[in-house]
Amino acid sequence: MYGALSAKPARRPRADSVRNRARVLEAAKLVFAAGGPAGSLEAVARQAGVGVGTLYRHFPTRQALFEAVYRHEVQQLVELAEQLGTDLPPLEALRRWMHANVEFVATKKGMSAALAVAVHASSDLTAYSMDRLGRALETLLRRAVEAGVIRDDISTEDILRTIVGLCYTHDKPGWQGNVLRLVDVFVDGMRRSQCSGPI
Amino acid sequence: MYGALSAKPARRPRADSVRNRARVLEAAKLVFAAGGPAGSLEAVARQAGVGVGTLYRHFPTRQALFEAVYRHEVQQLVELAEQLGTDLPPLEALRRWMHANVEFVATKKGMSAALAVAVHASSDLTAYSMDRLGRALETLLRRAVEAGVIRDDISTEDILRTIVGLCYTHDKPGWQGNVLRLVDVFVDGMRRSQCSGPI
DNA sequence: GGTAAATACGGAGGCCCCCTCCGCTTTACA
DNA sequence: TGTAAAGCGGAGGGGGCCTCCGTATTTACC
């Protein structure tokens, strides 16, 4: 991602360093998901099978680790969008991706508080994720519009905000099924050929 | 607030207990404002001049302390509304109270994350504060409407949500002045007789 | 393959915080 | 003033935070 245009002939990053960084990231995801944003960093290091020193070298602060996990998660959603886009018909791909977003929040309930803190403390993280997710969604959306299966006056931002809004206002038990249903309603509403089924 | 209808002739709460509880609450406000939601509870006890045991007896968990602080803050806004209502002309009272709400958030930036966590974790806290603040605002608002200085199609919830919304989307440096300006714009918009005088 | 220099690793250690427990003090009431 | 209930304080064991530095690994070059 970087280094190619550096002036110095920098030596390649060490293999163990790369490996450990990935391990810590994976472990952090688990620990924060289970224990919320206050989860122990020593537990992250143990889970990753590295020393605490290694953890702190890669991520000097808790906040830095939050941000890295967040970016990693966003990246996974982007890749999922690409895959769904090539594997499924347009409308179904869109619907599945929106469901995945909800589940993304659901499976990380503890994580979400941590991410909320991370996002709140760094506003360019919001911009970053809106941009990445927006581009990924753009492709799915355009394909569906061009196929003529959904209306053309919905923007990617409309959709992202809808998902966020639906998740945000639901924190009661069983909310996930409810939100998925609402997403389906929303997707139905976007369809062109309205058989006007009951909502 | 309670105890009057208890069956047993319970003995009056001890004076030192009442005093210490208040001290801890005040100290917690300072510490959380300075250090955010992760502020040290031992620091709270030190600041309050009590032992940690006392703190934990009054507030068994960090969450309990958050909630108590939050309720206390809400109460202060309610009392401010009552006072402004009797001291100032209707429109000015309303405007001042809205400004106070913004400053309430501003002076407690660290605190706000703590409160966000508290509110997120306990949804009846949201209901409680909406109810209390709504009633307080109701009086101010009705007085202004009856005096004929503002339009009558704005609800208390409209106003509370506007304030929250304006604060929520502003976290850049210098946001406070900006939001206060927007509040003034909003209040101007509510005025009936637009003499567009300076504020 | 061998070597030197750069780079990264691990975990001990000092510090602070969490929370419980219990002997001591203060208070309310008679 | 007596006394029992209620509350107080802080020591102490457990654990997390983060830094520091001797050691191990890896790369680049011969």
Side-chain angles (χ1 to χ4, degrees):
Chain A
M1 196 182 288
Y2 57 107
L5 42 82
S6 173
K8 297 168 187 170
R11 71 161 53 193
R12 185 150 44 97
R14 282 173 53 159
D16 54 352
S17 174
V18 172
R19 175 166 33 81
N20 282 334
R21 198 191 135 90
R23 279 186 185 172
V24 169
L25 224 42
E26 192 62 28
K29 197 166 74 179
L30 291 178
V31 170
F32 289 147
S40 155
L41 296 190
E42 301 212 322
V44 171
R46 272 197 302 276
Q47 173 80 27
V50 304
V52 285
T54 298
L55 184 151
Y56 280 98
R57 196 170 327 97
H58 284 293
F59 308 99
T61 67
R62 180 178 288 267
Q63 178 66 21
L65 184 53
F66 281 162
E67 292 202 21
V69 171
Y70 183 81
R71 287 181 144 82
H72 190 244
E73 300 290 290
V74 166
Q75 180 59 27
Q76 289 191 328
L77 280 176
V78 168
E79 283 165 11
L80 177 66
E82 288 165 3
Q83 195 195 315
L84 289 177
T86 61
D87 291 1
L88 293 175
L91 186 65
E92 186 60 13
L94 188 55
R95 204 178 62 82
R96 283 277 194 89
W97 191 76
M98 289 173 70
H99 276 212
N101 273 266
V102 175
E103 279 147 14
F104 169 79
V105 173
T107 56
K108 298 170 179 55
K109 237 355 186 175
M111 190 69 216
S112 71
L115 294 183
V117 171
V119 168
H120 197 81
S122 144
S123 60
D124 57 332
L125 208 56
T126 317
Y128 168 83
S129 54
M130 270 293 166
D131 183 63
R132 294 301 303 271
L133 293 177
R135 285 174 201 279
L137 177 54
E138 171 73 37
T139 308
L140 290 182
L141 186 61
R142 195 180 43 231
R143 211 164 61 99
V145 168
E146 284 171 358
V149 291
I150 69 166
R151 30 198 294 194
D152 59 1
D153 60 347
I154 307 285
S155 74
T156 57
E157 200 171 323
D158 291 334
I159 293 178
L160 290 178
R161 284 197 191 284
T162 300
I163 295 172
V164 171
L166 287 177
C167 289
Y168 188 75
T169 57
H170 287 72
D171 49 1
K172 297 260 159 51
W175 66 277
Q176 192 187 347
N178 206 27
V179 171
L180 289 178
R181 198 173 46 75
L182 291 173
V183 166
D184 281 345
V185 169
F186 184 75
V187 171
D188 266 4
M190 290 197 298
R191 295 175 70 169
R192 254 267 164 64
S193 62
Q194 297 273 3
C195 305
S196 74
I199 303 229
Chain B
M1 197 182 288
Y2 57 106
L5 42 82
S6 174
K8 296 170 189 171
R11 74 159 51 191
R12 185 151 41 97
R14 284 174 53 158
D16 53 352
S17 175
V18 173
R19 176 166 33 81
N20 282 336
R21 198 192 135 90
R23 279 187 185 171
V24 168
L25 225 41
E26 192 62 27
K29 196 166 75 179
L30 292 178
V31 170
F32 289 146
S40 155
L41 296 191
E42 301 211 323
V44 172
R46 272 196 302 276
Q47 172 81 27
V50 305
V52 287
T54 299
L55 185 151
Y56 279 99
R57 195 167 330 97
H58 285 293
F59 308 100
T61 67
R62 179 178 288 266
Q63 178 67 20
L65 185 52
F66 281 163
E67 293 203 19
V69 171
Y70 183 81
R71 287 181 144 82
H72 190 245
E73 300 288 291
V74 167
Q75 180 59 27
Q76 289 190 327
L77 281 176
V78 168
E79 283 164 12
L80 177 67
E82 288 165 3
Q83 195 195 315
L84 289 177
T86 63
D87 292 0
L88 293 175
L91 186 65
E92 186 62 12
L94 188 57
R95 202 177 63 82
R96 284 275 195 88
W97 191 77
M98 290 174 69
H99 276 213
N101 272 267
V102 175
E103 279 147 15
F104 170 80
V105 174
T107 57
K108 298 168 179 54
K109 240 353 190 177
M111 189 68 216
S112 71
L115 294 183
V117 171
V119 169
H120 197 79
S122 143
S123 60
D124 58 333
L125 210 55
T126 318
Y128 167 84
S129 54
M130 271 293 165
D131 183 62
R132 294 301 304 268
L133 293 177
R135 284 174 202 278
L137 177 55
E138 170 73 34
T139 307
L140 289 182
L141 186 61
R142 195 180 43 231
R143 212 163 62 96
V145 168
E146 284 171 358
V149 293
I150 68 165
R151 30 197 295 192
D152 60 1
D153 61 345
I154 307 286
S155 73
T156 56
E157 200 172 323
D158 290 337
I159 294 178
L160 291 177
R161 284 197 191 284
T162 300
I163 295 172
V164 171
L166 288 176
C167 290
Y168 187 76
T169 56
H170 287 74
D171 50 0
K172 297 260 159 53
W175 66 276
Q176 192 186 347
N178 206 28
V179 171
L180 289 177
R181 199 173 46 73
L182 291 173
V183 166
D184 281 344
V185 169
F186 185 74
V187 171
D188 265 4
M190 290 196 297
R191 294 175 71 169
R192 255 265 165 65
S193 62
Q194 302 269 359
C195 305
S196 71
I199 302 224

PDB file of all heavy atoms in Angstrom, chain A residues 100-116:
ATOM      1  N   ALA A 100     -25.708  -8.236   5.282  1.00  0.00           N
ATOM      2  CA  ALA A 100     -24.373  -8.464   5.842  1.00  0.00           C
ATOM      3  C   ALA A 100     -23.948  -7.289   6.706  1.00  0.00           C
ATOM      4  O   ALA A 100     -23.301  -7.466   7.737  1.00  0.00           O
ATOM      5  CB  ALA A 100     -23.358  -8.679   4.716  1.00  0.00           C
ATOM      6  N   ASN A 101     -24.331  -6.107   6.316  1.00  0.00           N
ATOM      7  CA  ASN A 101     -24.010  -4.931   7.118  1.00  0.00           C
ATOM      8  C   ASN A 101     -24.657  -5.003   8.490  1.00  0.00           C
ATOM      9  O   ASN A 101     -24.032  -4.685   9.504  1.00  0.00           O
ATOM     10  CB  ASN A 101     -24.470  -3.657   6.408  1.00  0.00           C
ATOM     11  CG  ASN A 101     -23.427  -3.122   5.464  1.00  0.00           C
ATOM     12  OD1 ASN A 101     -22.640  -2.272   5.838  1.00  0.00           O
ATOM     13  ND2 ASN A 101     -23.400  -3.632   4.248  1.00  0.00           N
ATOM     14  N   VAL A 102     -25.911  -5.401   8.499  1.00  0.00           N
ATOM     15  CA  VAL A 102     -26.616  -5.509   9.780  1.00  0.00           C
ATOM     16  C   VAL A 102     -25.961  -6.572  10.651  1.00  0.00           C
ATOM     17  O   VAL A 102     -25.709  -6.360  11.842  1.00  0.00           O
ATOM     18  CB  VAL A 102     -28.104  -5.852   9.564  1.00  0.00           C
ATOM     19  CG1 VAL A 102     -28.787  -6.086  10.899  1.00  0.00           C
ATOM     20  CG2 VAL A 102     -28.792  -4.739   8.796  1.00  0.00           C
ATOM     21  N   GLU A 103     -25.663  -7.711  10.022  1.00  0.00           N
ATOM     22  CA  GLU A 103     -25.041  -8.785  10.789  1.00  0.00           C
ATOM     23  C   GLU A 103     -23.649  -8.382  11.277  1.00  0.00           C
ATOM     24  O   GLU A 103     -23.217  -8.773  12.349  1.00  0.00           O
ATOM     25  CB  GLU A 103     -24.946 -10.058   9.935  1.00  0.00           C
ATOM     26  CG  GLU A 103     -26.267 -10.813   9.912  1.00  0.00           C
ATOM     27  CD  GLU A 103     -26.507 -11.524   8.600  1.00  0.00           C
ATOM     28  OE1 GLU A 103     -25.564 -11.665   7.804  1.00  0.00           O
ATOM     29  OE2 GLU A 103     -27.675 -11.920   8.376  1.00  0.00           O
ATOM     30  N   PHE A 104     -23.006  -7.607  10.473  1.00  0.00           N
ATOM     31  CA  PHE A 104     -21.700  -7.067  10.832  1.00  0.00           C
ATOM     32  C   PHE A 104     -21.780  -6.312  12.161  1.00  0.00           C
ATOM     33  O   PHE A 104     -20.932  -6.452  13.032  1.00  0.00           O
ATOM     34  CB  PHE A 104     -21.265  -6.138   9.695  1.00  0.00           C
ATOM     35  CG  PHE A 104     -20.070  -5.291   9.981  1.00  0.00           C
ATOM     36  CD1 PHE A 104     -18.800  -5.820   9.895  1.00  0.00           C
ATOM     37  CD2 PHE A 104     -20.216  -3.951  10.295  1.00  0.00           C
ATOM     38  CE1 PHE A 104     -17.695  -5.035  10.133  1.00  0.00           C
ATOM     39  CE2 PHE A 104     -19.113  -3.156  10.536  1.00  0.00           C
ATOM     40  CZ  PHE A 104     -17.852  -3.709  10.456  1.00  0.00           C
ATOM     41  N   VAL A 105     -22.847  -5.556  12.324  1.00  0.00           N
ATOM     42  CA  VAL A 105     -23.043  -4.867  13.585  1.00  0.00           C
ATOM     43  C   VAL A 105     -23.454  -5.855  14.680  1.00  0.00           C
ATOM     44  O   VAL A 105     -22.944  -5.803  15.805  1.00  0.00           O
ATOM     45  CB  VAL A 105     -24.121  -3.766  13.458  1.00  0.00           C
ATOM     46  CG1 VAL A 105     -24.425  -3.171  14.815  1.00  0.00           C
ATOM     47  CG2 VAL A 105     -23.680  -2.696  12.496  1.00  0.00           C
ATOM     48  N   ALA A 106     -24.339  -6.765  14.313  1.00  0.00           N
ATOM     49  CA  ALA A 106     -24.921  -7.668  15.303  1.00  0.00           C
ATOM     50  C   ALA A 106     -23.891  -8.580  15.959  1.00  0.00           C
ATOM     51  O   ALA A 106     -23.895  -8.765  17.172  1.00  0.00           O
ATOM     52  CB  ALA A 106     -25.992  -8.523  14.646  1.00  0.00           C
ATOM     53  N   THR A 107     -23.007  -9.122  15.140  1.00  0.00           N
ATOM     54  CA  THR A 107     -22.040 -10.085  15.679  1.00  0.00           C
ATOM     55  C   THR A 107     -20.951  -9.391  16.469  1.00  0.00           C
ATOM     56  O   THR A 107     -20.065 -10.036  16.994  1.00  0.00           O
ATOM     57  CB  THR A 107     -21.369 -10.888  14.557  1.00  0.00           C
ATOM     58  OG1 THR A 107     -20.766  -9.965  13.658  1.00  0.00           O
ATOM     59  CG2 THR A 107     -22.373 -11.723  13.818  1.00  0.00           C
ATOM     60  N   LYS A 108     -20.992  -8.089  16.509  1.00  0.00           N
ATOM     61  CA  LYS A 108     -19.917  -7.355  17.179  1.00  0.00           C
ATOM     62  C   LYS A 108     -20.487  -6.370  18.153  1.00  0.00           C
ATOM     63  O   LYS A 108     -20.027  -5.240  18.246  1.00  0.00           O
ATOM     64  CB  LYS A 108     -19.070  -6.631  16.136  1.00  0.00           C
ATOM     65  CG  LYS A 108     -18.396  -7.578  15.156  1.00  0.00           C
ATOM     66  CD  LYS A 108     -17.777  -6.835  14.008  1.00  0.00           C
ATOM     67  CE  LYS A 108     -17.107  -7.820  13.072  1.00  0.00           C
ATOM     68  NZ  LYS A 108     -18.026  -8.875  12.610  1.00  0.00           N
ATOM     69  N   LYS A 109     -21.492  -6.801  18.899  1.00  0.00           N
ATOM     70  CA  LYS A 109     -22.171  -5.859  19.781  1.00  0.00           C
ATOM     71  C   LYS A 109     -21.204  -5.175  20.732  1.00  0.00           C
ATOM     72  O   LYS A 109     -21.245  -3.974  20.925  1.00  0.00           O
ATOM     73  CB  LYS A 109     -23.269  -6.575  20.571  1.00  0.00           C
ATOM     74  CG  LYS A 109     -24.690  -6.019  20.429  1.00  0.00           C
ATOM     75  CD  LYS A 109     -24.824  -4.751  19.618  1.00  0.00           C
ATOM     76  CE  LYS A 109     -26.246  -4.205  19.649  1.00  0.00           C
ATOM     77  NZ  LYS A 109     -26.358  -2.912  18.969  1.00  0.00           N
ATOM     78  N   GLY A 110     -20.319  -5.986  21.335  1.00  0.00           N
ATOM     79  CA  GLY A 110     -19.334  -5.382  22.219  1.00  0.00           C
ATOM     80  C   GLY A 110     -18.422  -4.461  21.439  1.00  0.00           C
ATOM     81  O   GLY A 110     -18.104  -3.363  21.851  1.00  0.00           O
ATOM     82  N   MET A 111     -18.057  -4.949  20.259  1.00  0.00           N
ATOM     83  CA  MET A 111     -17.184  -4.189  19.378  1.00  0.00           C
ATOM     84  C   MET A 111     -17.791  -2.852  19.013  1.00  0.00           C
ATOM     85  O   MET A 111     -17.075  -1.865  18.879  1.00  0.00           O
ATOM     86  CB  MET A 111     -16.968  -5.027  18.122  1.00  0.00           C
ATOM     87  CG  MET A 111     -15.916  -4.516  17.182  1.00  0.00           C
ATOM     88  SD  MET A 111     -14.278  -4.668  17.877  1.00  0.00           S
ATOM     89  CE  MET A 111     -13.554  -3.175  17.231  1.00  0.00           C
ATOM     90  N   SER A 112     -19.083  -2.805  18.837  1.00  0.00           N
ATOM     91  CA  SER A 112     -19.685  -1.600  18.286  1.00  0.00           C
ATOM     92  C   SER A 112     -19.464  -0.398  19.203  1.00  0.00           C
ATOM     93  O   SER A 112     -19.240   0.719  18.734  1.00  0.00           O
ATOM     94  CB  SER A 112     -21.164  -1.813  18.033  1.00  0.00           C
ATOM     95  OG  SER A 112     -21.865  -1.890  19.257  1.00  0.00           O
ATOM     96  N   ALA A 113     -19.504  -0.626  20.503  1.00  0.00           N
ATOM     97  CA  ALA A 113     -19.223   0.474  21.423  1.00  0.00           C
ATOM     98  C   ALA A 113     -17.796   0.957  21.228  1.00  0.00           C
ATOM     99  O   ALA A 113     -17.532   2.153  21.187  1.00  0.00           O
ATOM    100  CB  ALA A 113     -19.439   0.027  22.871  1.00  0.00           C
ATOM    101  N   ALA A 114     -16.892   0.002  21.061  1.00  0.00           N
ATOM    102  CA  ALA A 114     -15.494   0.359  20.826  1.00  0.00           C
ATOM    103  C   ALA A 114     -15.357   1.154  19.535  1.00  0.00           C
ATOM    104  O   ALA A 114     -14.669   2.177  19.489  1.00  0.00           O
ATOM    105  CB  ALA A 114     -14.637  -0.905  20.749  1.00  0.00           C
ATOM    106  N   LEU A 115     -16.029   0.704  18.511  1.00  0.00           N
ATOM    107  CA  LEU A 115     -15.937   1.393  17.227  1.00  0.00           C
ATOM    108  C   LEU A 115     -16.574   2.765  17.319  1.00  0.00           C
ATOM    109  O   LEU A 115     -16.087   3.727  16.746  1.00  0.00           O
ATOM    110  CB  LEU A 115     -16.619   0.569  16.135  1.00  0.00           C
ATOM    111  CG  LEU A 115     -15.944  -0.761  15.828  1.00  0.00           C
ATOM    112  CD1 LEU A 115     -16.655  -1.470  14.692  1.00  0.00           C
ATOM    113  CD2 LEU A 115     -14.487  -0.553  15.482  1.00  0.00           C
ATOM    114  N   ALA A 116     -17.656   2.866  18.085  1.00  0.00           N
ATOM    115  CA  ALA A 116     -18.300   4.160  18.259  1.00  0.00           C
ATOM    116  C   ALA A 116     -17.324   5.140  18.892  1.00  0.00           C
ATOM    117  O   ALA A 116     -17.215   6.288  18.468  1.00  0.00           O
ATOM    118  CB  ALA A 116     -19.545   4.022  19.121  1.00  0.00           C
TER     119      ALA A 116
END
